[in-house]
Amino acid sequence: MSAVTEARDRGAAGAPVLGLTVLYDAECGLCAHLRDWLVRQSQLVPLDLVPAGSAEARRRFPGLDPAATLDEVTVIGDAGQVYQGSRAWIVVLWALREHRPLAHRLSTPAGARLARGAVLAAAKWRGAQWGGRSYRRTDGWSYDRHTGWTHQPPTCDGGSCPTG
């Protein structure tokens, strides 16, 4: 037996979580890109992707602070479990067929440090531009995987201009 063993898939059938709701910032280009990526993945546990702070999110989860869910990815299990930050991403990876072994590795103490570092790096990247504000579609930012970020400032149609 080798010192390194592959993480065994424990199987979705015996899992206590049968569905997950992922709250994401729909106005963040990075978040929208990750949402689109999640939709394309094979899911062992169904993911329901809901914009954070939306009327739907407020209706379904009245006990959660909408502002906090916009700041940090939040995942809610079907039995009311709430995961935020790196733990949320580990749970989301656990729900995906191809990435469950990675989730098992990231759930170890060493892996959790790595996951936290990745989430902090993404948060820094997301919010470091333009005075700490994230890129938002309503501000004219869009992301294309081939060309990167582009900015098309909103126009002053109708005589009213958005203010910073």
Side-chain angles (χ1 to χ4, degrees), residues 2-163:
S2 70
V4 179
T5 59
E6 187 176 328
R8 232 180 46 222
D9 183 9
R10 295 183 201 143
V17 177
L18 302 177
L20 295 167
T21 301
V22 180
L23 300 180
Y24 69 95
D25 183 351
E27 295 301 321
C28 164
L30 174 62
C31 304
H33 175 76
L34 289 170
R35 177 215 49 223
D36 294 345
W37 178 80
L38 287 171
V39 169
R40 293 188 310 268
Q41 302 305 301
S42 175
Q43 300 173 4
L44 292 170
V45 176
L47 298 176
D48 186 14
L49 297 129
V50 176
S54 67
E56 176 69 9
R58 290 172 195 252
R59 182 189 65 75
R60 290 172 60 179
F61 308 107
L64 292 178
D65 175 12
T69 63
L70 282 166
D71 285 341
E72 195 164 23
V73 64
T74 303
V75 176
I76 302 97
D78 58 346
Q81 312 91 322
V82 177
Y83 308 92
Q84 290 186 302
S86 59
R87 288 185 177 107
W89 280 114
I90 292 170
V91 169
V92 167
L93 290 172
W94 173 84
L96 304 176
R97 179 178 308 281
E98 194 172 319
H99 300 286
R100 184 167 278 188
L102 174 60
H104 286 279
R105 288 191 300 274
L106 292 175
S107 67
T108 66
R113 286 191 297 277
L114 178 66
R116 177 150 171 73
V119 168
L120 290 173
K124 182 177 179 181
W125 181 81
R126 177 180 179 232
Q129 301 298 319
W130 314 112
R133 296 176 55 210
S134 61
Y135 295 117
R136 294 189 172 271
R137 290 180 178 168
T138 55
D139 295 334
W141 288 99
S142 62
Y143 180 79
D144 179 275
R145 66 185 178 135
H146 300 291
T147 60
W149 288 101
T150 57
H151 184 250
Q152 185 108 32
T155 61
C156 297
D157 293 339
S160 66
C161 293
T163 58

